[in-house]
């Protein structure tokens, strides 16, 4: 059966859009969680006791050192050997958060280290507590300093969601592959998938750029 | 200057690793006294005043600050004592260290609100009064980077004064400023001295030290080499080390000529 090429977009736009929404939702949720865990991890890595520093150091090394797809397979397939079965969605979330936190720690750590030492000295001299100093003085400046790498990383996480089709999660890539099998027209389908990713990554880029412009007022 | 001692250092020694920053520093600062600390760079002047509000720990000796006793070695004061000292001792830095992401006004009211739990409106009113004293009330809503160095340093002074401190520490407050901006900052410090603020001032401005300080201390070679009334120390120093330092500072061209002279003879 041959389907005319121009009817493909009409046939598949809906499911690809659904996949895109799922990818975007996963990216947003995992980014927020890794943002929080990454900040805590960076603070622990910089100011924590020896044991905390060591644990976080090795966590980052492992996340950074193992191929992304292997991490996903360990979570989704590997754990079944010990009777732990994750649904594709659960596995996807665990992996994206674990991966995002590993990289987040490093991004946030470099952001915190960008803030001049004089800032915490001035805060201490005013009697501000360490907590207030961190929340009101150091982190706002650190976040501003790391917006460019952070934006890039969120786009990377969005693209990482393509790997999830390998564990049967019905994202953009999954729908495009399914459509390719059914219609034997990979060109147009992958082009549609590409367009969906591009629209989303451009949106993330714009958002990052706008946040950057807001911090430019004082930097 | 009354007789009440508010800062008392006894045999204080500070090292970074095995390197001695200063040793055996003994010094009393009385209420309303203005103490200027001068001396060559690397003598430990800045590090010493940072020990007073315990931005730096020290290794030996004791340091009494406003009734609290800080000791050397591994003893950390409790959080309450630390905060009490830092709330009552203000500090102004060489590099201003204003918070760049906060407006001038928010720089000043942050600590009164967070530490002293003063209501925003009241804190802002006090901040505007302080800004008016240094002629900067029209800059209250600006970010620090829009201000000149001299203006930033005056804001930094307001920020420290907003906590209503009993002692002010100045760490080379004019060293980073263009020469034409030094005067406005010195004027603010001078006014503070006239109002009877107790001050420890690390400076390279000899003329200013002579004018505002009751006591001048010369730190060199890891310790205090001379201490006494400003006029006496600066005009008639008792030690050779102090004379050498003052001659270098006050008559740099003569010293340079002397240094060049043997070279001329050799060739």
């Amino acid at each position: 059966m041959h389907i005319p090429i121009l009817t493909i977009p009409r046939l598949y736009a809906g499911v690809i859009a659904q996949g895109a929404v799922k990818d975007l939702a996963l990216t947003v949720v995992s980014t927020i969680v890794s943002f929080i865990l990454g900040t805590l991890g960076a603070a622990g890595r910089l100011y924590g006791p020896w044991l905390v520093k060591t644990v976080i150091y090795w966590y980052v090394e492992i996340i950074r050192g193992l191929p992304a797809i292997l991490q996903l397979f360990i979570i989704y397939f590997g754990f079944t050997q010990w009777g732990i079965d994750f649904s594709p969605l659960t596995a996807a979330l665990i992996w994206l958060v674990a991966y995002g936190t590993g990289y987040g720690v490093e991004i946030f750590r470099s952001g915190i280290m960008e803030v001049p030492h004089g800032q915490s000295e001035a805060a201490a001299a005013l009697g501000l507590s360490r907590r207030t100093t961190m929340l009101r003085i150091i982190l706002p400046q650190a976040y501003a300093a790391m917006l460019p790498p952070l934006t890039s990383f969120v786009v990377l996480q969005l693209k990482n969601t393509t790997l999830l089709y390998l564990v049967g999660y019905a994202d953009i890539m999954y729908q495009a592959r399914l459509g390719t099998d059914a219609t034997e027209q990979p060109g147009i389908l992958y082009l549609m998938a590409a367009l969906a990713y591009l629209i989303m990554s451009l949106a993330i880029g714009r958002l990052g750029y706008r946040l950057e412009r807001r911090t430019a007022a004082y930097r | 200057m009354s007789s009440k001692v508010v800062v008392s250092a006894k045999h204080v020694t500070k090292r970074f690793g095995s390197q001695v920053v200063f040793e055996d520093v003994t010094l009393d600062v009385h209420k309303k006294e203005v103490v200027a600390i001068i001396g060559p760079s690397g003598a430990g002047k800045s590090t010493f005043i940072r020990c007073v509000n315990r931005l730096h720990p020290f290794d030996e000796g004791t340091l009494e600050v406003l009734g609290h006793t800080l000791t050397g070695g591994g003893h950390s004061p409790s959080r309450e004592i630390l905060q009490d000292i830092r709330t009552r001792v203000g500090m102004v830095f060489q590099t201003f260290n204003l918070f760049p992401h906060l407006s001038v006004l928010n720089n000043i009211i942050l600590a009164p609100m967070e530490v002293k739990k003063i209501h925003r409106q009241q804190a802002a009113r006090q901040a505007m009064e302080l800004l008016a004293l240094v002629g900067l009330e029209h800059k209250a809503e600006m970010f620090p980077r829009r201000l000149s160095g001299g203006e930033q340093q005056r804001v930094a002074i307001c920020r420290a004064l907003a906590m209503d401190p009993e002692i002010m520490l100045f760490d080379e407050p004019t060293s980073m400023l263009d020469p034409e901006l030094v005067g406005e900052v010195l004027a603010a410090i001078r006014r503070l001295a006239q109002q009877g603020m107790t001050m420890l001032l690390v400076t390279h401005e000899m003329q200013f030290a002579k004018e505002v300080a009751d006591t001048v201390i010369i730190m060199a070679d890891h310790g205090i080499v001379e201490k006494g009334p400003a006029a006496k120390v600066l005009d008639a120093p008792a030690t050779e080390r102090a004379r050498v330092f003052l001659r270098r500072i006050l008559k740099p061209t003569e010293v340079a000529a002397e240094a060049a002279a043997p070279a001329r003879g050799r060739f």
Side-chain angles (χ1 to χ4, degrees), chain A residues 26-47:
Chain A
L26 269 182
T27 306
V28 170
V29 171
S30 65
T31 296
I32 291 169
V33 180
S34 349
F35 193 91
I36 295 163
L37 293 178
T39 303
L40 292 173
R45 175 89 168 75
L46 286 169
Y47 310 116

Side-chain angles (χ1 to χ4, degrees), chain B residues 107-133:
Chain B
N107 260 278
I108 300 173
I109 66 176
L110 178 67
M113 285 169 60
E114 290 284 341
V115 181
K116 292 192 156 179
K117 309 294 176 200
I118 292 175
H119 204 268
R120 173 175 262 277
Q121 269 116 10
Q122 195 195 338
R125 201 165 47 238
Q126 287 167 349
M128 292 310 289
E129 282 169 17
L130 287 167
L131 281 172
L133 284 175

Side-chain angles (χ1 to χ4, degrees), chain A residues 7 19 31 33 35 65 69 75-76 87 110 127 135 140 151 160 181-182 186 202 207 219:
Chain A
T7 62
T31 296
V33 180
F35 193 91
I69 200 165
I75 292 167
Y76 186 68
S87 71
S110 74
L135 292 178
T151 306
N160 273 339
D181 289 346
L202 282 173
L207 184 67
R219 298 187 85 204

Side-chain angles (χ1 to χ4, degrees), chain A residues 94-144:
Chain A
I94 292 175
W95 172 58
L96 285 171
V97 167
Y99 189 82
T101 302
Y103 279 86
V105 167
E106 285 304 277
I107 295 174
F108 294 131
R109 191 169 69 94
S110 74
I112 291 170
M113 291 194 309
E114 284 272 300
V115 180
H117 178 61
Q119 292 289 303
S120 47
E121 225 179 18
L126 286 165
L128 295 173
S129 66
R130 283 186 67 168
R131 197 185 121 88
T132 307
T133 303
M134 205 64 200
L135 292 178
R136 301 290 302 273
I137 307 297
I138 307 296
L139 285 181
Q141 294 183 60
Y143 287 146

Side-chain angles (χ1 to χ4, degrees), chain A residues 55-117:
Chain A
V55 169
I56 295 169
Y57 170 83
W58 281 106
Y59 178 78
V60 170
E61 289 299 324
I62 288 167
I63 291 291
R64 210 162 46 178
L66 295 182
I69 200 165
L70 178 59
Q71 295 175 27
L72 176 62
F73 279 19
I74 288 172
I75 292 167
Y76 186 68
F77 298 115
F79 276 92
T80 57
Q81 196 179 342
W82 297 288
I84 303 169
D85 280 314
F86 294 119
S87 71
L89 177 66
T90 314
L93 266 175
I94 292 175
W95 172 58
L96 285 171
V97 167
Y99 189 82
T101 302
Y103 279 86
V105 167
E106 285 304 277
I107 295 174
F108 294 131
R109 191 169 69 94
S110 74
I112 291 170
M113 291 194 309
E114 284 272 300
V115 180
H117 178 61

Side-chain angles (χ1 to χ4, degrees), chain B residues 225-243:
Chain B
V225 294
E226 185 116 4
K227 171 168 66 177
K232 184 180 172 300
V233 170
L234 292 173
D235 293 336
T239 63
E240 181 57 26
R241 185 68 185 87
R243 274 195 290 273

